[in-house]
Amino acid sequence: MNTGTEIRRPGLAAWLTLIACEGRMVARDTAGLVVPIGLPLLILVMSASSASGEIVINGRSALDVYVLPLVFTIIIATIGVINMPSFLAYYRRTGILRRLSVTPASPAMVLVAQVVVSVLQTLVGLGVALVVAIVFFDARLPVHPGTALGVFALSMAAMYAVGMIVAAISPTPNSAVAIGLVAFFALGATGGLFGSTDSLPDPVAAVGQWLPFGASTQAMSAAWAGSPADPAHFVALGVAIVTGVVVAAALFRWE
């Protein structure tokens, strides 16, 4: 039966407005804006001088093969696992998602907009780190750029999937930051954040290769070095994406 009232779905203008609003929210969060870019950049600058002079393989230095993949993974993980969940937890805590659920603009739009803004912030961070490495430390592009781009995309999706689990189980913004930090350091510790995985116990190092941080770092290293990509790393990232989506869908609450 036609009631004479049509529900208008949000168009492109509404999507762009929401993305712009999310961008302003991220820009106002000084710590969330600076730390994911500034901290990895500091690690890059501190390590680059010595690493740039050590040629490892295919004309690529230790800076290219080891430092840059680590820095890129830190940027992706910080934004995906710590930043994004805190915003979603804040929106749920303050009732924004609940109010949106009774409008044509569903809460899912906020999720999509936040992911878009997070991806843009990640790309800015990656771009800044790469430009600094190339201009000031003679870094080189990966031997296999197509593989590197694919790893970037999978890594972002995997880290955002982990971030969605964090958002799903966090009742408050502060708890989202706390849980996100624990997840970030747990993944990083097994994936080479604090040094080579060769120094880790064999079982821990083996597990780290199957977690998103370790899989991302090692897959990027292979792309930069021109070494054959290990399919296990791509499988690990794919499993993380599927697991994150399934668990978040089961646990996430809009209010």
Side-chain angles (χ1 to χ4, degrees):
M1 183 176 66
N2 186 1
T3 61
T5 302
E6 295 183 3
I7 299 177
R8 296 184 59 185
R9 296 298 179 185
L12 179 60
W15 281 97
L16 294 177
T17 299
L18 186 55
I19 291 172
C21 290
E22 289 297 314
R24 286 193 290 272
M25 286 290 292
V26 171
R28 291 169 183 165
D29 180 16
T30 306
L33 184 66
V34 174
V35 172
I37 299 175
L39 179 60
L41 197 59
L42 179 61
I43 295 174
L44 169 65
V45 172
M46 293 177 63
S47 306
S49 296
S50 58
S52 60
E54 181 183 350
I55 302 301
V56 177
I57 185 175
N58 288 333
R60 268 47 177 187
S61 66
L63 170 63
D64 304 322
V65 177
Y66 300 123
V67 177
L68 278 179
L70 176 61
V71 168
F72 290 158
T73 304
I74 292 174
I75 293 171
I76 295 170
T78 305
I79 295 173
V81 178
I82 302 174
N83 277 22
M84 186 182 70
S86 66
F87 281 102
L88 295 180
Y90 170 77
Y91 294 150
R92 181 173 57 223
R93 180 75 170 180
T94 56
I96 292 175
L97 298 181
R98 176 175 51 80
R99 290 193 290 271
L100 282 174
S101 65
V102 297
T103 71
S106 70
M109 287 184 65
V110 175
L111 172 60
V112 173
Q114 182 58 227
V115 169
V116 170
V117 173
S118 297
V119 169
L120 292 176
Q121 185 183 6
T122 302
L123 293 177
V124 170
L126 296 178
V128 169
L130 185 60
V131 168
V132 169
I134 291 175
V135 172
F136 294 101
F137 301 103
D138 297 323
R140 301 186 64 183
L141 295 175
V143 176
H144 296 152
T147 302
L149 291 174
V151 174
F152 289 152
L154 284 174
S155 297
M156 283 191 282
M159 294 302 181
Y160 293 160
V162 174
M164 284 304 303
I165 296 178
V166 174
I169 64 176
S170 301
T172 66
N174 287 339
S175 65
V177 173
I179 296 172
L181 283 170
V182 171
F184 171 80
F185 284 114
L187 294 174
T190 59
L193 176 62
F194 301 112
S196 173
T197 55
D198 294 338
S199 61
L200 297 174
D202 290 341
V204 176
V207 170
Q209 294 185 34
W210 283 94
L211 295 176
F213 197 102
S216 298
T217 303
Q218 295 193 34
M220 288 185 202
S221 293
W224 245 271
S227 304
D230 188 343
H233 296 149
F234 294 97
V235 172
L237 292 172
V239 169
I241 294 169
V242 173
T243 302
V245 170
V246 171
V247 173
L251 299 179
F252 195 89
R253 297 293 180 267
W254 297 112
E255 56 180 297

